[in-house]
Amino acid sequence: DQQVKQNSPSLSVQEGRISILNCDYTNSMFDYFLWYKKYPAEGPTFLISISSIKDKNEDGRFTVFLNKSAKHLSLHIVPSQPGDSAVYFCAARDNNAGNMLTFGGGTRLMVKP
Amino acid sequence: GAVVSQHPSWVICKSGTSVKIECRSLDFQATTMFWYRQFPKQSLMLMATSNEGSKATYEQGVEKDKFLINHASLTLSTLTVTSAHPEDSSFYICSAGQIHNSPLHFGNGTRLTVT
């Protein structure tokens, strides 16, 4: 049973527009959520995170929104740039279970110039 | 700069041989490190949790005798793929974090190809 799901395997956006990547989870014990960006043949790079006590966290062009009641989070990138093209993974952690992360399946973002 | 270093970045080996992959935390101590595996166009699957000074904890379906993990110090964990077979060909990634509620940082991964 997938505890973290990213239902859109891919997303195409025009440069300058907003990219919205979505993530759903089922485990109510998750209390820390992260977004990672990954290029082929490289390890994931941490982008932004949010604690379950917050509903929004912003860092430059990246904003993560958390809706606990819906068990849903999203990553907004605005304005999108061609260099943002990569695979984005949503991850969640249950702090009672240590530092382990559970990943979603990833969404491939393509930003067209 | 990188906070987790993984080596080698790629390796090709013959079927039946063993391959060791190293994961080092730079500038911080990690009592726990994690080993993930990624198949093409798929997500990262946790293989095992490496615990400094004690046995690793393996996820269901991961053979502990095939994927030997040693966490000999607070900055080094190794994954040894023993008697490798072509189906072990994959992208292996390690990760480590400093404290709770801080992000895990990942190494750059190791592309293993078994011929």
Side-chain angles (χ1 to χ4, degrees), chain B residues 24-50:
Chain B
R24 294 181 185 272
S25 58
L26 308 177
D27 301 326
F28 71 97
Q29 295 181 331
T31 55
T32 305
M33 292 185 178
F34 302 92
W35 288 95
Y36 288 84
R37 181 174 180 176
Q38 186 186 27
F39 291 100
K41 298 185 179 180
Q42 292 190 29
S43 186
L44 291 84
M45 302 302 297
L46 179 67
M47 297 175 65
T49 302
S50 174

PDB file of all heavy atoms in Angstrom, chain B residues 24-50:
ATOM      1  N   ARG B  24      29.475   8.426   2.968  1.00  0.00           N
ATOM      2  CA  ARG B  24      30.091   9.188   4.051  1.00  0.00           C
ATOM      3  C   ARG B  24      29.310  10.469   4.326  1.00  0.00           C
ATOM      4  O   ARG B  24      28.924  11.173   3.387  1.00  0.00           O
ATOM      5  CB  ARG B  24      31.525   9.575   3.699  1.00  0.00           C
ATOM      6  CG  ARG B  24      32.465   8.408   3.567  1.00  0.00           C
ATOM      7  CD  ARG B  24      33.889   8.847   3.247  1.00  0.00           C
ATOM      8  NE  ARG B  24      34.739   7.682   3.016  1.00  0.00           N
ATOM      9  CZ  ARG B  24      35.382   7.034   3.964  1.00  0.00           C
ATOM     10  NH1 ARG B  24      35.281   7.445   5.223  1.00  0.00           N
ATOM     11  NH2 ARG B  24      36.124   5.988   3.679  1.00  0.00           N
ATOM     12  N   SER B  25      29.094  10.747   5.586  1.00  0.00           N
ATOM     13  CA  SER B  25      28.529  12.038   5.961  1.00  0.00           C
ATOM     14  C   SER B  25      29.690  13.000   6.183  1.00  0.00           C
ATOM     15  O   SER B  25      30.666  12.671   6.849  1.00  0.00           O
ATOM     16  CB  SER B  25      27.677  11.912   7.217  1.00  0.00           C
ATOM     17  OG  SER B  25      28.427  11.410   8.297  1.00  0.00           O
ATOM     18  N   LEU B  26      29.575  14.154   5.569  1.00  0.00           N
ATOM     19  CA  LEU B  26      30.643  15.149   5.650  1.00  0.00           C
ATOM     20  C   LEU B  26      30.251  16.210   6.678  1.00  0.00           C
ATOM     21  O   LEU B  26      29.149  16.726   6.647  1.00  0.00           O
ATOM     22  CB  LEU B  26      30.857  15.797   4.281  1.00  0.00           C
ATOM     23  CG  LEU B  26      31.070  14.838   3.116  1.00  0.00           C
ATOM     24  CD1 LEU B  26      31.199  15.612   1.809  1.00  0.00           C
ATOM     25  CD2 LEU B  26      32.286  13.953   3.330  1.00  0.00           C
ATOM     26  N   ASP B  27      31.146  16.521   7.569  1.00  0.00           N
ATOM     27  CA  ASP B  27      30.923  17.603   8.535  1.00  0.00           C
ATOM     28  C   ASP B  27      29.840  17.326   9.561  1.00  0.00           C
ATOM     29  O   ASP B  27      29.469  18.226  10.316  1.00  0.00           O
ATOM     30  CB  ASP B  27      30.594  18.928   7.826  1.00  0.00           C
ATOM     31  CG  ASP B  27      31.711  19.359   6.895  1.00  0.00           C
ATOM     32  OD1 ASP B  27      32.884  19.088   7.218  1.00  0.00           O
ATOM     33  OD2 ASP B  27      31.409  19.940   5.842  1.00  0.00           O
ATOM     34  N   PHE B  28      29.312  16.132   9.593  1.00  0.00           N
ATOM     35  CA  PHE B  28      28.388  15.809  10.673  1.00  0.00           C
ATOM     36  C   PHE B  28      28.399  14.312  10.923  1.00  0.00           C
ATOM     37  O   PHE B  28      28.798  13.524  10.077  1.00  0.00           O
ATOM     38  CB  PHE B  28      26.962  16.298  10.369  1.00  0.00           C
ATOM     39  CG  PHE B  28      26.244  15.532   9.287  1.00  0.00           C
ATOM     40  CD1 PHE B  28      25.367  14.504   9.600  1.00  0.00           C
ATOM     41  CD2 PHE B  28      26.432  15.864   7.941  1.00  0.00           C
ATOM     42  CE1 PHE B  28      24.692  13.814   8.591  1.00  0.00           C
ATOM     43  CE2 PHE B  28      25.764  15.184   6.936  1.00  0.00           C
ATOM     44  CZ  PHE B  28      24.890  14.154   7.270  1.00  0.00           C
ATOM     45  N   GLN B  29      27.979  13.949  12.089  1.00  0.00           N
ATOM     46  CA  GLN B  29      27.932  12.540  12.458  1.00  0.00           C
ATOM     47  C   GLN B  29      26.524  12.007  12.264  1.00  0.00           C
ATOM     48  O   GLN B  29      25.546  12.685  12.591  1.00  0.00           O
ATOM     49  CB  GLN B  29      28.371  12.368  13.920  1.00  0.00           C
ATOM     50  CG  GLN B  29      29.823  12.757  14.150  1.00  0.00           C
ATOM     51  CD  GLN B  29      30.251  12.567  15.592  1.00  0.00           C
ATOM     52  OE1 GLN B  29      29.437  12.662  16.504  1.00  0.00           O
ATOM     53  NE2 GLN B  29      31.524  12.301  15.803  1.00  0.00           N
ATOM     54  N   ALA B  30      26.447  10.821  11.745  1.00  0.00           N
ATOM     55  CA  ALA B  30      25.144  10.228  11.452  1.00  0.00           C
ATOM     56  C   ALA B  30      25.049   8.853  12.102  1.00  0.00           C
ATOM     57  O   ALA B  30      25.693   7.911  11.657  1.00  0.00           O
ATOM     58  CB  ALA B  30      24.938  10.122   9.943  1.00  0.00           C
ATOM     59  N   THR B  31      24.266   8.749  13.157  1.00  0.00           N
ATOM     60  CA  THR B  31      24.094   7.443  13.785  1.00  0.00           C
ATOM     61  C   THR B  31      23.237   6.534  12.913  1.00  0.00           C
ATOM     62  O   THR B  31      23.289   5.319  13.045  1.00  0.00           O
ATOM     63  CB  THR B  31      23.432   7.583  15.165  1.00  0.00           C
ATOM     64  OG1 THR B  31      22.212   8.301  15.020  1.00  0.00           O
ATOM     65  CG2 THR B  31      24.339   8.324  16.133  1.00  0.00           C
ATOM     66  N   THR B  32      22.480   7.151  12.041  1.00  0.00           N
ATOM     67  CA  THR B  32      21.621   6.377  11.141  1.00  0.00           C
ATOM     68  C   THR B  32      21.807   6.861   9.711  1.00  0.00           C
ATOM     69  O   THR B  32      21.828   8.068   9.461  1.00  0.00           O
ATOM     70  CB  THR B  32      20.137   6.548  11.529  1.00  0.00           C
ATOM     71  OG1 THR B  32      19.971   6.199  12.900  1.00  0.00           O
ATOM     72  CG2 THR B  32      19.254   5.655  10.678  1.00  0.00           C
ATOM     73  N   MET B  33      21.968   5.935   8.814  1.00  0.00           N
ATOM     74  CA  MET B  33      21.999   6.245   7.384  1.00  0.00           C
ATOM     75  C   MET B  33      21.013   5.313   6.690  1.00  0.00           C
ATOM     76  O   MET B  33      20.660   4.259   7.239  1.00  0.00           O
ATOM     77  CB  MET B  33      23.402   6.054   6.804  1.00  0.00           C
ATOM     78  CG  MET B  33      24.429   7.057   7.321  1.00  0.00           C
ATOM     79  SD  MET B  33      26.028   6.845   6.485  1.00  0.00           S
ATOM     80  CE  MET B  33      26.969   8.157   7.229  1.00  0.00           C
ATOM     81  N   PHE B  34      20.576   5.703   5.524  1.00  0.00           N
ATOM     82  CA  PHE B  34      19.565   4.932   4.814  1.00  0.00           C
ATOM     83  C   PHE B  34      20.063   4.589   3.415  1.00  0.00           C
ATOM     84  O   PHE B  34      20.714   5.399   2.761  1.00  0.00           O
ATOM     85  CB  PHE B  34      18.259   5.731   4.705  1.00  0.00           C
ATOM     86  CG  PHE B  34      17.701   6.136   6.035  1.00  0.00           C
ATOM     87  CD1 PHE B  34      18.039   7.360   6.590  1.00  0.00           C
ATOM     88  CD2 PHE B  34      16.858   5.297   6.740  1.00  0.00           C
ATOM     89  CE1 PHE B  34      17.545   7.739   7.822  1.00  0.00           C
ATOM     90  CE2 PHE B  34      16.358   5.667   7.976  1.00  0.00           C
ATOM     91  CZ  PHE B  34      16.707   6.888   8.526  1.00  0.00           C
ATOM     92  N   TRP B  35      19.741   3.394   2.989  1.00  0.00           N
ATOM     93  CA  TRP B  35      20.076   2.962   1.641  1.00  0.00           C
ATOM     94  C   TRP B  35      18.792   2.779   0.842  1.00  0.00           C
ATOM     95  O   TRP B  35      17.884   2.070   1.263  1.00  0.00           O
ATOM     96  CB  TRP B  35      20.870   1.660   1.672  1.00  0.00           C
ATOM     97  CG  TRP B  35      22.265   1.865   2.169  1.00  0.00           C
ATOM     98  CD1 TRP B  35      22.730   1.699   3.448  1.00  0.00           C
ATOM     99  CD2 TRP B  35      23.391   2.294   1.391  1.00  0.00           C
ATOM    100  NE1 TRP B  35      24.075   2.005   3.512  1.00  0.00           N
ATOM    101  CE2 TRP B  35      24.508   2.371   2.271  1.00  0.00           C
ATOM    102  CE3 TRP B  35      23.580   2.620   0.050  1.00  0.00           C
ATOM    103  CZ2 TRP B  35      25.772   2.757   1.831  1.00  0.00           C
ATOM    104  CZ3 TRP B  35      24.835   3.002  -0.387  1.00  0.00           C
ATOM    105  CH2 TRP B  35      25.917   3.068   0.494  1.00  0.00           C
ATOM    106  N   TYR B  36      18.770   3.443  -0.325  1.00  0.00           N
ATOM    107  CA  TYR B  36      17.627   3.361  -1.220  1.00  0.00           C
ATOM    108  C   TYR B  36      18.074   2.754  -2.551  1.00  0.00           C
ATOM    109  O   TYR B  36      19.242   2.804  -2.919  1.00  0.00           O
ATOM    110  CB  TYR B  36      17.046   4.751  -1.498  1.00  0.00           C
ATOM    111  CG  TYR B  36      16.313   5.373  -0.330  1.00  0.00           C
ATOM    112  CD1 TYR B  36      16.993   6.061   0.665  1.00  0.00           C
ATOM    113  CD2 TYR B  36      14.923   5.293  -0.249  1.00  0.00           C
ATOM    114  CE1 TYR B  36      16.316   6.637   1.726  1.00  0.00           C
ATOM    115  CE2 TYR B  36      14.235   5.883   0.806  1.00  0.00           C
ATOM    116  CZ  TYR B  36      14.937   6.544   1.793  1.00  0.00           C
ATOM    117  OH  TYR B  36      14.263   7.123   2.837  1.00  0.00           O
ATOM    118  N   ARG B  37      17.096   2.260  -3.259  1.00  0.00           N
ATOM    119  CA  ARG B  37      17.341   1.722  -4.595  1.00  0.00           C
ATOM    120  C   ARG B  37      16.293   2.320  -5.520  1.00  0.00           C
ATOM    121  O   ARG B  37      15.115   2.447  -5.139  1.00  0.00           O
ATOM    122  CB  ARG B  37      17.219   0.201  -4.553  1.00  0.00           C
ATOM    123  CG  ARG B  37      17.463  -0.513  -5.858  1.00  0.00           C
ATOM    124  CD  ARG B  37      17.448  -2.021  -5.631  1.00  0.00           C
ATOM    125  NE  ARG B  37      17.681  -2.725  -6.879  1.00  0.00           N
ATOM    126  CZ  ARG B  37      17.792  -4.056  -6.972  1.00  0.00           C
ATOM    127  NH1 ARG B  37      17.681  -4.814  -5.897  1.00  0.00           N
ATOM    128  NH2 ARG B  37      18.002  -4.612  -8.137  1.00  0.00           N
ATOM    129  N   GLN B  38      16.723   2.701  -6.698  1.00  0.00           N
ATOM    130  CA  GLN B  38      15.778   3.257  -7.651  1.00  0.00           C
ATOM    131  C   GLN B  38      15.869   2.504  -8.967  1.00  0.00           C
ATOM    132  O   GLN B  38      16.944   2.433  -9.581  1.00  0.00           O
ATOM    133  CB  GLN B  38      16.044   4.741  -7.893  1.00  0.00           C
ATOM    134  CG  GLN B  38      14.978   5.386  -8.783  1.00  0.00           C
ATOM    135  CD  GLN B  38      15.293   6.818  -9.147  1.00  0.00           C
ATOM    136  OE1 GLN B  38      16.451   7.213  -9.200  1.00  0.00           O
ATOM    137  NE2 GLN B  38      14.253   7.593  -9.419  1.00  0.00           N
ATOM    138  N   PHE B  39      14.749   1.955  -9.401  1.00  0.00           N
ATOM    139  CA  PHE B  39      14.660   1.337 -10.711  1.00  0.00           C
ATOM    140  C   PHE B  39      14.285   2.415 -11.720  1.00  0.00           C
ATOM    141  O   PHE B  39      13.725   3.452 -11.347  1.00  0.00           O
ATOM    142  CB  PHE B  39      13.632   0.207 -10.703  1.00  0.00           C
ATOM    143  CG  PHE B  39      14.060  -0.974  -9.879  1.00  0.00           C
ATOM    144  CD1 PHE B  39      13.575  -1.157  -8.598  1.00  0.00           C
ATOM    145  CD2 PHE B  39      14.964  -1.895 -10.385  1.00  0.00           C
ATOM    146  CE1 PHE B  39      13.978  -2.235  -7.827  1.00  0.00           C
ATOM    147  CE2 PHE B  39      15.367  -2.977  -9.634  1.00  0.00           C
ATOM    148  CZ  PHE B  39      14.877  -3.139  -8.344  1.00  0.00           C
ATOM    149  N   PRO B  40      14.569   2.164 -12.998  1.00  0.00           N
ATOM    150  CA  PRO B  40      14.289   3.192 -14.007  1.00  0.00           C
ATOM    151  C   PRO B  40      12.851   3.685 -13.960  1.00  0.00           C
ATOM    152  O   PRO B  40      11.918   2.885 -13.887  1.00  0.00           O
ATOM    153  CB  PRO B  40      14.602   2.477 -15.327  1.00  0.00           C
ATOM    154  CG  PRO B  40      15.600   1.438 -14.950  1.00  0.00           C
ATOM    155  CD  PRO B  40      15.230   0.988 -13.573  1.00  0.00           C
ATOM    156  N   LYS B  41      12.695   4.979 -13.952  1.00  0.00           N
ATOM    157  CA  LYS B  41      11.395   5.642 -13.982  1.00  0.00           C
ATOM    158  C   LYS B  41      10.516   5.239 -12.806  1.00  0.00           C
ATOM    159  O   LYS B  41       9.284   5.277 -12.905  1.00  0.00           O
ATOM    160  CB  LYS B  41      10.680   5.357 -15.307  1.00  0.00           C
ATOM    161  CG  LYS B  41      11.431   5.895 -16.511  1.00  0.00           C
ATOM    162  CD  LYS B  41      10.667   5.707 -17.796  1.00  0.00           C
ATOM    163  CE  LYS B  41      11.452   6.285 -18.966  1.00  0.00           C
ATOM    164  NZ  LYS B  41      10.745   6.124 -20.246  1.00  0.00           N
ATOM    165  N   GLN B  42      11.133   4.874 -11.709  1.00  0.00           N
ATOM    166  CA  GLN B  42      10.360   4.541 -10.530  1.00  0.00           C
ATOM    167  C   GLN B  42      10.844   5.353  -9.339  1.00  0.00           C
ATOM    168  O   GLN B  42      11.815   6.098  -9.413  1.00  0.00           O
ATOM    169  CB  GLN B  42      10.477   3.043 -10.226  1.00  0.00           C
ATOM    170  CG  GLN B  42       9.805   2.171 -11.257  1.00  0.00           C
ATOM    171  CD  GLN B  42       9.734   0.727 -10.804  1.00  0.00           C
ATOM    172  OE1 GLN B  42       9.674   0.429  -9.618  1.00  0.00           O
ATOM    173  NE2 GLN B  42       9.738  -0.183 -11.758  1.00  0.00           N
ATOM    174  N   SER B  43      10.144   5.194  -8.243  1.00  0.00           N
ATOM    175  CA  SER B  43      10.476   5.969  -7.054  1.00  0.00           C
ATOM    176  C   SER B  43      11.648   5.340  -6.313  1.00  0.00           C
ATOM    177  O   SER B  43      12.160   4.295  -6.687  1.00  0.00           O
ATOM    178  CB  SER B  43       9.263   6.049  -6.137  1.00  0.00           C
ATOM    179  OG  SER B  43       9.521   6.919  -5.051  1.00  0.00           O
ATOM    180  N   LEU B  44      12.054   6.031  -5.252  1.00  0.00           N
ATOM    181  CA  LEU B  44      13.119   5.502  -4.427  1.00  0.00           C
ATOM    182  C   LEU B  44      12.514   4.542  -3.403  1.00  0.00           C
ATOM    183  O   LEU B  44      11.589   4.897  -2.676  1.00  0.00           O
ATOM    184  CB  LEU B  44      13.832   6.630  -3.686  1.00  0.00           C
ATOM    185  CG  LEU B  44      14.668   7.570  -4.549  1.00  0.00           C
ATOM    186  CD1 LEU B  44      13.819   8.659  -5.164  1.00  0.00           C
ATOM    187  CD2 LEU B  44      15.779   8.192  -3.732  1.00  0.00           C
ATOM    188  N   MET B  45      13.047   3.351  -3.362  1.00  0.00           N
ATOM    189  CA  MET B  45      12.560   2.346  -2.432  1.00  0.00           C
ATOM    190  C   MET B  45      13.586   2.141  -1.329  1.00  0.00           C
ATOM    191  O   MET B  45      14.742   1.846  -1.608  1.00  0.00           O
ATOM    192  CB  MET B  45      12.307   1.018  -3.158  1.00  0.00           C
ATOM    193  CG  MET B  45      11.314   1.124  -4.295  1.00  0.00           C
ATOM    194  SD  MET B  45       9.708   1.735  -3.754  1.00  0.00           S
ATOM    195  CE  MET B  45       9.208   0.437  -2.644  1.00  0.00           C
ATOM    196  N   LEU B  46      13.146   2.286  -0.092  1.00  0.00           N
ATOM    197  CA  LEU B  46      14.044   2.085   1.026  1.00  0.00           C
ATOM    198  C   LEU B  46      14.431   0.610   1.113  1.00  0.00           C
ATOM    199  O   LEU B  46      13.563  -0.263   1.123  1.00  0.00           O
ATOM    200  CB  LEU B  46      13.384   2.528   2.327  1.00  0.00           C
ATOM    201  CG  LEU B  46      14.220   2.351   3.590  1.00  0.00           C
ATOM    202  CD1 LEU B  46      15.430   3.291   3.569  1.00  0.00           C
ATOM    203  CD2 LEU B  46      13.367   2.621   4.835  1.00  0.00           C
ATOM    204  N   MET B  47      15.724   0.356   1.161  1.00  0.00           N
ATOM    205  CA  MET B  47      16.208  -1.010   1.305  1.00  0.00           C
ATOM    206  C   MET B  47      16.450  -1.348   2.764  1.00  0.00           C
ATOM    207  O   MET B  47      16.047  -2.390   3.256  1.00  0.00           O
ATOM    208  CB  MET B  47      17.520  -1.189   0.549  1.00  0.00           C
ATOM    209  CG  MET B  47      17.433  -1.004  -0.945  1.00  0.00           C
ATOM    210  SD  MET B  47      19.052  -1.106  -1.703  1.00  0.00           S
ATOM    211  CE  MET B  47      19.487  -2.813  -1.361  1.00  0.00           C
ATOM    212  N   ALA B  48      17.162  -0.440   3.438  1.00  0.00           N
ATOM    213  CA  ALA B  48      17.566  -0.742   4.805  1.00  0.00           C
ATOM    214  C   ALA B  48      17.994   0.521   5.529  1.00  0.00           C
ATOM    215  O   ALA B  48      18.353   1.519   4.913  1.00  0.00           O
ATOM    216  CB  ALA B  48      18.712  -1.748   4.800  1.00  0.00           C
ATOM    217  N   THR B  49      17.928   0.419   6.833  1.00  0.00           N
ATOM    218  CA  THR B  49      18.408   1.482   7.710  1.00  0.00           C
ATOM    219  C   THR B  49      19.703   1.003   8.337  1.00  0.00           C
ATOM    220  O   THR B  49      19.735  -0.072   8.969  1.00  0.00           O
ATOM    221  CB  THR B  49      17.377   1.793   8.803  1.00  0.00           C
ATOM    222  OG1 THR B  49      16.148   2.165   8.181  1.00  0.00           O
ATOM    223  CG2 THR B  49      17.863   2.918   9.695  1.00  0.00           C
ATOM    224  N   SER B  50      20.732   1.781   8.159  1.00  0.00           N
ATOM    225  CA  SER B  50      22.045   1.427   8.675  1.00  0.00           C
ATOM    226  C   SER B  50      22.241   2.101  10.031  1.00  0.00           C
ATOM    227  O   SER B  50      22.119   3.317  10.154  1.00  0.00           O
ATOM    228  CB  SER B  50      23.107   1.920   7.677  1.00  0.00           C
ATOM    229  OG  SER B  50      24.413   1.740   8.182  1.00  0.00           O
TER     230      SER B  50
END
